[in-house]
Amino acid sequence: MKIELKVKKERIKNKKETQLKLNKFMFGFWLFLSFILFEFNNDIAFLFNISTLFAPLPFAVISMATSCYFAVLLSFIASLAIGFSDGFAAALTYFALFSFSGVLIAFFLKKNRDNVSAFFTEAIEFSVYLKLGLIAALGKLLGRNVALPNTELLQKTLAPYASKLPQLDIAGSIKLLNEISSKMFPTTILLFVTAEVFLCYIFLKRIAKKQHLRLLSMPRVSRWSFAPNLFWALFASFIFEIASKLNFKDFAICEDIAFNIQQIVWVAFFIQGFAFVMFFLEKKHVKPFFKYILAFFTLVIGFPSCILSLVGAADVMWNFRKLKN
């Protein structure tokens, strides 16, 4: 299934318009920041967490300021340095999550200078492949599923609270967390990678703007829209859900597939609904402050989120924004 945002194409003909400028000090700063982010992440029980959302940014900046070939070479050298100090598994993690992923984002941003939709589609797709490869490789090396929380590190972290909170069942809580993480893994990794690429793009855009350079512009939120093929994905999820009810052992996984497809589609519907509300508020000339307040409440409170998802589903089908009234 291909989910593509309908956005206006913007032509940037000159490569120099997108090349960032870094002096030696800032080059060293971004490289040092990459190492700092990695060392900080080593003490966290989750492989994919808030700190790793910013992991590709330093190398993305370096790649946008130099060439991708040089950035790949630097990525290998930096990973080797990590490997000598922390071991092969750490070097592999650094390469996939922190250095090469940033190079990939910069590469697709340079490649798709005239199509922001193609940039996001390709960057997200290849980043997902890279992380799945990392999970498979680390699973072979470490003998455990690194996509799930590190049980030993979690127990060590929560141990001091066991005496203060006797009612806290640490083993049971970790087991439940592992079950939820395993069930939602496809949705989690896709949303994580999307957020990672989006944040990286936003920071690169800000840096380029300060240097009076041009990068592809995202359309306003009110212009975001998804293609109607989302309903085919939703239909497929219902087929998988029906298949999971059949008394076949091999079909048990169909329930998890259906669940993850539905979660991803409903997130897309939510984004579409939120975009439609922003469009409506723009038409009514509502001040930005009130739009930010609305955005905060829809993200925090569950009921408005459900309403927005339903509105988004209707907007995908009928495209209310084309109606005159």
Side-chain angles (χ1 to χ4, degrees), residues 99-164:
S99 59
F100 190 65
S101 58
V103 178
L104 269 182
I105 291 171
F107 169 76
F108 287 117
L109 192 53
K110 290 179 178 181
K111 175 176 176 278
N112 298 291
R113 294 193 304 275
D114 60 341
N115 192 338
V116 70
S117 179
F119 157 67
F120 276 104
T121 301
E122 293 178 9
I124 290 169
E125 182 179 353
F126 279 86
S127 293
V128 168
Y129 293 152
L130 186 64
K131 286 169 177 56
L132 290 177
L134 172 67
I135 290 168
L138 289 181
K140 293 287 186 181
L141 284 172
L142 305 177
R144 67 178 182 85
N145 188 352
V146 294
L148 300 180
N150 188 331
T151 304
E152 294 180 2
L153 191 53
L154 271 177
Q155 287 176 338
K156 184 179 177 181
T157 305
L158 295 175
Y161 301 98
S163 57
K164 298 178 182 178

Side-chain angles (χ1 to χ4, degrees), residues 8-310:
K8 184 179 179 181
K9 289 187 177 181
E10 178 184 354
R11 191 69 181 169
I12 299 175
K13 296 181 180 179
N14 191 351
K15 290 183 179 180
K16 292 184 178 179
E17 293 183 61
T18 63
Q19 187 166 347
L20 301 181
K21 300 178 181 66
L22 287 183
N23 56 33
K24 291 181 180 179
F25 173 77
M26 291 307 299
F27 182 90
F29 166 78
W30 286 110
L31 188 59
F32 179 70
L33 179 62
S34 181
F35 288 124
I36 292 297
L37 285 172
F38 174 75
E39 291 301 328
F40 175 75
N41 188 66
N42 268 352
D43 297 325
I44 298 177
F46 300 90
L47 182 63
F48 302 109
N49 54 72
I50 293 176
S51 68
T52 53
L53 279 175
F54 300 95
L57 179 61
F59 264 85
V61 173
I62 291 171
S63 301
M64 292 299 292
T66 59
S67 69
C68 288
Y69 298 108
F70 172 79
V72 169
L73 179 62
L74 183 64
S75 171
F76 275 111
I77 294 171
S79 300
L80 283 174
I82 292 289
F84 282 122
S85 61
D86 296 337
F88 181 69
L92 199 59
T93 303
Y94 179 81
F95 178 77
L97 286 186
F98 291 80
S99 59
F100 190 65
S101 58
V103 178
L104 269 182
I105 291 171
F107 169 76
F108 287 117
L109 192 53
K110 290 179 178 181
K111 175 176 176 278
N112 298 291
R113 294 193 304 275
D114 60 341
N115 192 338
V116 70
S117 179
F119 157 67
F120 276 104
T121 301
E122 293 178 9
I124 290 169
E125 182 179 353
F126 279 86
S127 293
V128 168
Y129 293 152
L130 186 64
K131 286 169 177 56
L132 290 177
L134 172 67
I135 290 168
L138 289 181
K140 293 287 186 181
L141 284 172
L142 305 177
R144 67 178 182 85
N145 188 352
V146 294
L148 300 180
N150 188 331
T151 304
E152 294 180 2
L153 191 53
L154 271 177
Q155 287 176 338
K156 184 179 177 181
T157 305
L158 295 175
Y161 301 98
S163 57
K164 298 178 182 178
L165 298 170
Q167 70 276 16
L168 180 64
D169 181 10
I170 294 178
S173 300
I174 293 175
K175 183 181 178 181
L176 179 62
L177 181 61
N178 279 329
E179 289 175 359
I180 295 172
S181 300
S182 178
K183 186 179 182 69
M184 293 192 64
F185 170 70
T187 301
T188 302
I189 194 167
L190 181 59
L191 295 181
F192 177 88
V193 169
T194 303
E196 178 185 76
V197 172
F198 183 77
L199 285 173
C200 208
Y201 166 82
I202 292 296
F203 275 93
L204 288 173
K205 182 75 175 173
R206 297 280 295 182
I207 295 169
K209 187 176 180 181
K210 286 186 177 182
Q211 296 184 6
H212 306 289
L213 300 172
R214 292 181 64 197
L215 284 183
L216 285 173
S217 298
M218 280 284 288
R220 295 197 305 273
V221 175
S222 59
R223 304 297 175 187
W224 292 4
S225 62
F226 287 91
N229 61 5
L230 280 173
F231 287 102
W232 287 109
L234 197 60
F235 177 74
S237 73
F238 294 142
I239 299 298
F240 279 114
E241 194 163 358
I242 292 169
S244 69
K245 306 300 180 185
L246 302 176
N247 293 324
F248 293 104
K249 185 178 179 181
D250 295 338
F251 284 6
I253 195 173
C254 290
E255 184 178 357
D256 289 346
I257 295 173
F259 173 80
N260 282 279
I261 292 175
Q262 289 168 13
Q263 294 303 307
I264 293 168
V265 170
W266 280 110
V267 168
F269 284 158
F270 170 79
I271 294 172
Q272 180 94 3
F274 184 76
F276 171 72
V277 171
M278 291 296 106
F279 173 80
F280 179 77
L281 294 178
E282 281 184 9
K283 295 286 282 185
K284 297 298 180 182
H285 304 291
V286 175
K287 293 182 179 180
F289 173 76
F290 294 104
K291 290 195 287 187
Y292 297 145
I293 294 294
L294 176 65
F296 174 77
F297 279 107
T298 53
L299 290 172
V300 172
I301 303 173
F303 181 70
S305 301
C306 295
I307 297 297
L308 280 185
S309 296
L310 294 174

